[in-house]
Amino acid sequence: MYDYTQSLRRSDASRDKVRQRTEIDLRGRRWTLLPDVFSPADTKSSLAHLDLLKFPVDGTFLEVGSGTGLIAVSAALAGCRAVWATDLNPAAAENTALNAARFGLADKVTSVHSDLFDALHDAPAFDVVYWHSNNVWAPPDLDYSVHQRAYVDPGYEAHRRYFREAPDHLAPGGQVLIALSSRARRAELEELAATESRRLVTVDSTTVQEPEGPVVYELMEVVTL
Ligand SMILES: C[S@@+](CC[C@H](N)C(=O)[O-])C[C@H]1O[C@@H](n2cnc3c(N)ncnc32)[C@H](O)[C@@H]1O
């Protein structure tokens, strides 16, 4: 079973690297990266999931846990009519807004500092709700920095709430998605989903070589039973 301390170490190494605002190049664009924000340049997960995702062109898209805004901004660039983004980390919410402005998309992307959906007032219903989650399990009874919380979810409490609450934000016919990896405790997540009357269904997946070996990145739909 994947050891959560590896993720905490990766988080700390990434944090040590980014002590001040910097820039990263991804897919032919230059992005702002603020200190304490999950770097999509430090793992292949963000780009792997970007390639698995199909954005609702002309529709509405909500990204939970937007980090730098790579995915939220890409959704707007792909032609989504309205994109909203939330993140538990205030620096990430600011980072998403900065990158949206950088690409002239400030009017299309609304970035909110929020624990999951808590601060989403006046938001529309969404055609797609998406979370590239911090899906490594970690013990609930320890303290974690906001940067570590980009990698681990203590006791999977945020996942439980996501399974329960995300469907409330959907437009008719909309889809709740979650981006997982083989580092997650999959059976526990499936059990949690079932206790919330949800089922996880694979949409697409890819296997990528990471420093620790091959990692499977999987895009799942959270289906209401
Ligand atoms: C794996 S990172 C993904 C970042 C970005 N979406 C990407 O693909 O590069 C997970 C993100 O979820 C955020 N997050 C963790 N728990 C959250 C919560 N309860 N509510 C909102 N965001 C949360 C983290 O701060 C982090 O930015």
Side-chain angles (χ1 to χ4, degrees), residues 36-40 45-47 49 63-72 86-89 92 114-117 130-135 146-147 149-153 158 161:
D36 268 348
V37 175
F38 178 89
S39 171
S45 59
S46 305
L47 291 178
H49 286 302
E63 185 185 18
V64 170
S66 57
T68 56
L70 168 73
I71 304 291
T86 69
D87 207 294
L88 182 67
N89 177 351
S114 176
D115 186 352
L116 296 182
F117 310 99
Y130 168 79
W131 185 20
H132 168 199
S133 70
N134 31 303
N135 51 69
V146 78
H147 196 254
R149 296 272 309 258
Y151 293 79
V152 302
D153 177 20
R161 285 185 50 217

Side-chain angles (χ1 to χ4, degrees), residues 209-225:
Q209 197 61 35
E210 293 280 17
E212 83 238 40
V215 174
V216 182
Y217 292 115
E218 202 165 4
L219 183 65
M220 315 288 302
E221 180 170 0
V222 181
V223 177
T224 297
L225 298 174

Side-chain angles (χ1 to χ4, degrees), residues 101-116:
R102 177 169 201 154
F103 298 114
L105 295 164
D107 58 334
K108 283 239 168 92
V109 179
T110 305
S111 181
V112 182
H113 172 217
S114 176
D115 186 352
L116 296 182

Side-chain angles (χ1 to χ4, degrees), residues 7 71 82 91 94 100 114 117 153 160 165 167 170-171 199 214 218:
S7 278
I71 304 291
E94 183 192 351
S114 176
F117 310 99
D153 177 20
R160 177 196 294 280
E165 296 171 22
L170 286 185
R199 192 159 55 92
E218 202 165 4

